[in-house]
Amino acid sequence: NTGDNGVHASASPFEALSERVNWLGYRIDRDPFGKVLLKAHVTVGTIRDWCKDPQVTFGPVPMTKSLFDTLEDTDSDWCAALCTMIAGASAPAKKATGEEAELEKLKAQVEAYRELEKATMLIQSFVPPVAPKKGGGKAAGGKGKADAGKGGKGSAEAKSEDAPKKDGKKKRARGGKGKDD
């Protein structure tokens, strides 16, 4: 009787797992490829859902395609890697609770002030340029302290004029009418 004989080749290791689960009632955690997926952190619930060949969205540039078509013609290593990637892409983001949620909220608030912090630091580090001294002509024979030691009014000669004389009177440095004349 040749009607009872048959050989079936699945298109991928996952499709073979799916057929064993759907047709033969195998448990995912006892199937060799099922164990590989569970070690790769693909959940039993996800594997059960995938056994119905759903449309899945995955990849760095998101694309949606039949799971069986996506895994077709892959060996067990490549198939497990693709399943892990697809499971990670379709897993909902885990919401933080309790202290983790409070910490995330505080981090977001602190981050909102980063630009203000940078601007404040920039203002605080500002050093104004040195303003030029008033009086303009000091460098070209002026009468300021810059001329000290050059024989001008800032020299020792000028200092002695400002000092009181022996008779107690101070000699005027400039002409004009004054009390001492």
Side-chain angles (χ1 to χ4, degrees):
N1 186 351
T2 58
D4 292 334
N5 296 328
V7 174
H8 175 73
S10 300
S12 72
F14 185 84
E15 195 169 336
L17 165 67
S18 176
E19 290 165 353
R20 287 190 297 270
V21 169
N22 291 337
W23 298 346
L24 303 174
Y26 279 26
R27 291 179 43 180
I28 294 169
D29 58 342
R30 290 190 179 169
D31 184 84
F33 191 70
K35 289 178 185 179
V36 170
L37 293 179
L38 292 173
K39 280 186 180 181
H41 304 289
V42 180
T43 64
V44 173
T46 301
I47 296 170
R48 281 198 196 288
D49 291 342
W50 285 356
C51 284
K52 299 172 187 149
D53 190 21
Q55 295 290 309
V56 291
T57 303
F58 61 93
V61 176
M63 65 172 109
T64 302
K65 192 173 175 183
S66 159
L67 181 70
F68 288 2
D69 290 346
T70 302
L71 302 175
E72 189 173 328
D73 296 328
T74 58
D75 63 8
S76 58
D77 292 339
W78 188 251
C79 185
L82 286 172
C83 288
T84 304
M85 179 191 68
I86 295 168
S90 64
K94 193 176 183 182
K95 288 192 174 183
T97 58
E99 292 175 354
E100 292 174 352
E102 183 68 20
L103 181 62
E104 289 301 318
K105 183 179 174 184
L106 290 172
K107 283 182 179 179
Q109 288 176 346
V110 168
E111 194 60 36
Y113 289 99
R114 288 282 184 228
E115 290 300 317
L116 180 61
E117 177 190 21
K118 288 179 186 175
T120 304
M121 295 301 287
L122 185 63
I123 290 169
Q124 289 177 343
S125 67
F126 176 74
V127 177
V130 178
K133 294 184 180 184
K134 294 182 181 179
K138 291 181 182 177
K143 297 176 183 166
K145 289 184 180 179
D147 290 335
K150 294 183 182 177
K153 290 282 186 179
S155 67
E157 184 181 304
K159 289 179 186 172
S160 66
E161 289 179 11
D162 291 341
K165 289 187 171 186
K166 292 181 182 176
D167 61 356
K169 293 183 180 179
K170 187 175 179 181
K171 182 178 177 186
R172 284 195 309 254
R174 296 184 184 188
K177 297 180 182 179
K179 295 179 184 175
D180 293 342
D181 283 4

